[in-house]
Each structure stands twice: as structure tokens, then as C-alpha cells.
Amino acid sequence: PDFTYTTESGVMTLDFHPEHPWLMAVGFYDGGVAVYNLREKTNFPNYSSSAKNGKHTDTVWQVYWQENDLDNNLNFFSISSDGRVTCWSLIKNELHNTDIILIKLNTDTTPAPGAGG
């Protein structure tokens, strides 16, 4: 292989930036996301999420690069089993997140009003 990276959690999904193909966004089994710069000869991501900056609490199933935001920052979305769709922006040397959608599982088994039976 051209590149080999060691990670602390299993990689579940990845996406290469369409305009900067050396940037790879990764979603992990433990809920983390990261961005690797394939031009740099390092085994560590350039950006990574943590509990402090909004890491998902469950597996990340998809990451997808988006067009730059209004401030021209690179950004991508992630979706996780925790029900969050999150936008991650690469700002200076940090990864910043904004939750876009929160999907909650309805565990109420009571029939809806008007539901026939």
C-alpha cells in the first residue's frame, strides 16, 4: 500500500476531499472523526475529535466532504448511531463541530391517537 496508518479504533468510513484529494476524512467505530493529510509523512491525523470537542458517542457510519463554508473553511458531515448529524469545520489547527440534526429513537410503544386496531 502507498499509505499505512495505525488508529486507536476501527475505521468505519472515509471520504477524500473532491478538490484536495490528499485530505481524507475518517469516521471511527468509537465515535471519533479525524482528518489526515496524505502529503505529510506522519502516522497521526491533522485534526481529530475528542470528548471535549463533540466526539460522537457511538459508531460513525458515514463522513462526507461539503463545499467550504461562508468563511471559506473546509468542512465535512458525519452521521452516527448516536442520532447526530454533525458538521465539522477545519478552523486554524482545530476541528469545530455543529450538530445539524438530532434523530431520537421513539421507544414509546403506545399507539398513536386515532390509530386503528
Side-chain angles (χ1 to χ4, degrees), residues 30-65:
D30 71 354
V33 297
V35 176
Y36 291 85
N37 183 339
L38 304 182
R39 287 183 168 176
E40 296 181 8
K41 305 296 182 198
T42 178
N43 196 36
F44 301 102
N46 295 75
Y47 300 87
S48 61
S49 64
S50 65
K52 182 177 129 181
N53 71 357
K55 173 181 166 180
H56 288 283
T57 58
D58 209 343
T59 302
V60 175
W61 292 106
Q62 186 170 10
V63 291
Y64 189 81
W65 286 101

Side-chain angles (χ1 to χ4, degrees), residues 5-114:
Y5 294 95
T6 303
T7 61
E8 294 180 13
S9 182
V11 173
M12 301 302 291
T13 181
L14 61 84
D15 190 36
F16 290 95
H17 194 285
E19 295 177 20
H20 309 289
W22 57 89
L23 294 177
M24 179 177 67
V26 179
F28 296 104
Y29 181 79
D30 71 354
V33 297
V35 176
Y36 291 85
N37 183 339
L38 304 182
R39 287 183 168 176
E40 296 181 8
K41 305 296 182 198
T42 178
N43 196 36
F44 301 102
N46 295 75
Y47 300 87
S48 61
S49 64
S50 65
K52 182 177 129 181
N53 71 357
K55 173 181 166 180
H56 288 283
T57 58
D58 209 343
T59 302
V60 175
W61 292 106
Q62 186 170 10
V63 291
Y64 189 81
W65 286 101
Q66 296 296 306
E67 291 186 22
N68 293 357
D69 64 17
L70 295 176
D71 293 324
N72 209 32
N73 296 310
L74 299 175
N75 67 91
F76 64 95
F77 286 94
S78 63
I79 186 164
S80 168
S81 300
D82 66 5
R84 291 169 46 215
V85 177
T86 302
C87 179
W88 300 91
S89 298
L90 285 61
I91 301 174
K92 297 184 180 178
N93 293 327
E94 295 183 0
L95 194 58
H96 295 265
N97 77 313
T98 303
D99 286 339
I100 304 300
I101 299 173
L102 177 60
I103 303 168
K104 292 186 177 184
L105 178 64
N106 183 359
T107 58
D108 183 6
T109 58
T110 306

